Amino acid sequence: MQHRLPAIFVADSLGLDFLNSIATPVDTPVDWLDSGDGLLRWLAQAKLVPADVLNELKARAMPGELEEVADQARTLREWFRGFVRKHMGRPLTPRALRELGPLNRLLERDEAFSQISRHQHSDGGRLELRMMRRWRSPESLLLPIGEALSEFVCEENLANVKACEGHACTLVFADRTRRRGRRWCSMAICGNRAKQAAHRSRLKNKH
């Protein structure tokens, strides 16, 4: 089944990958946030929420609660898509801050805190300060998404954000190439299709 395809992560930015959670990888649009389970799968693939937290929230969610959160995630996605489309292709100005009210309101709900713990990749007794979060309800699943969108807004130059040039492709990405010459979401998908189309066109013109 098509909605079982793995989600697409080609944007070089988790904030933009969230926008790409609805796409047309072959011919039919696929929305990876089409349900509560879809949202959980996408968060797991994006590595935004630990697997044990996802399992626990799923187990204690009230009927319909995860569906409601997925609906909120889709609303957030389309609001953010409008923001990115409006500003992509040029650097953000401070005036854009006025448009980010919905994102700031989401971030206000966070219950994050720091905790000293053993360093994850150290054999010795090295300690590290880690950011933790209280996952009180399924709605808290929106918080790491809000964080990813905020990091994108604050750290990414929107002048480098592009839409894939592929026919009917809706994917966006941050162009990190040295000469800012990236044209496709993926050379394996749209880049390859464009090469094949150009080859067919050349053959046609020969005859």
Side-chain angles (χ1 to χ4, degrees):
M1 282 172 63
Q2 211 158 23
H3 68 278
R4 295 291 178 193
L5 285 169
I8 295 171
F9 294 92
V10 295
D12 276 339
S13 160
L14 207 43
L16 293 179
D17 282 323
F18 178 61
L19 294 188
N20 293 340
S21 61
I22 183 168
T24 309
V26 188
D27 298 311
T28 313
V30 180
D31 188 346
W32 282 274
L33 310 183
D34 63 349
S35 64
D37 279 347
L39 174 63
L40 295 179
R41 279 196 299 271
W42 188 86
L43 287 166
Q45 286 177 61
K47 297 180 171 62
L48 276 176
V49 182
D52 58 334
V53 171
L54 292 173
N55 292 335
E56 189 193 329
L57 285 173
K58 183 176 181 177
R60 69 172 203 241
M62 302 288 285
E65 202 173 4
L66 285 171
E67 304 301 318
E68 204 175 298
V69 176
D71 189 43
Q72 289 179 53
R74 292 191 296 271
T75 301
L76 177 66
R77 181 180 64 192
E78 295 320 305
W79 166 80
F80 195 65
R81 188 185 308 284
F83 177 86
V84 170
R85 276 192 179 147
K86 180 178 176 183
H87 295 284
M88 65 192 273
R90 59 186 188 276
L92 266 190
T93 65
R95 290 173 64 182
L97 181 61
R98 281 180 290 189
E99 299 167 45
L100 292 168
L103 193 48
N104 274 332
R105 284 194 291 278
L106 171 60
L107 295 172
E108 277 170 19
R109 298 188 217 158
D110 207 346
E111 288 194 61
F113 59 96
S114 303
Q115 196 162 65
I116 300 166
S117 62
R118 241 178 78 191
H119 195 280
Q120 283 180 308
H121 306 293
S122 168
D123 295 333
R126 198 168 146 215
L127 303 177
E128 66 174 352
L129 193 63
R130 289 172 66 192
M131 285 300 294
M132 313 290 282
R133 178 174 273 123
R134 290 186 181 88
W135 305 93
R136 295 205 187 275
S137 70
E139 247 190 4
S140 59
L141 293 170
L142 297 173
L143 297 171
I145 296 174
E147 209 169 64
L149 302 186
S150 308
E151 282 171 10
F152 165 79
V153 166
C154 296
E155 295 169 17
E156 190 62 62
N157 183 350
L158 266 81
N160 299 333
V161 175
K162 295 180 177 178
C164 178
E165 293 180 22
H167 174 66
C169 184
T170 58
L171 299 181
V172 288
F173 55 84
D175 185 356
R176 300 269 169 79
T177 59
R178 187 178 292 175
R179 297 189 180 179
R180 303 292 181 262
R182 182 176 169 185
R183 299 173 61 195
W184 318 109
C185 60
S186 156
M187 277 310 295
I189 307 169
C190 288
N192 201 33
R193 281 182 196 158
K195 266 167 52 180
Q196 288 172 352
H199 179 64
R200 282 195 299 271
S201 177
R202 281 196 299 273
L203 287 177
K204 207 160 134 189
N205 292 336
K206 276 183 185 173
H207 297 298

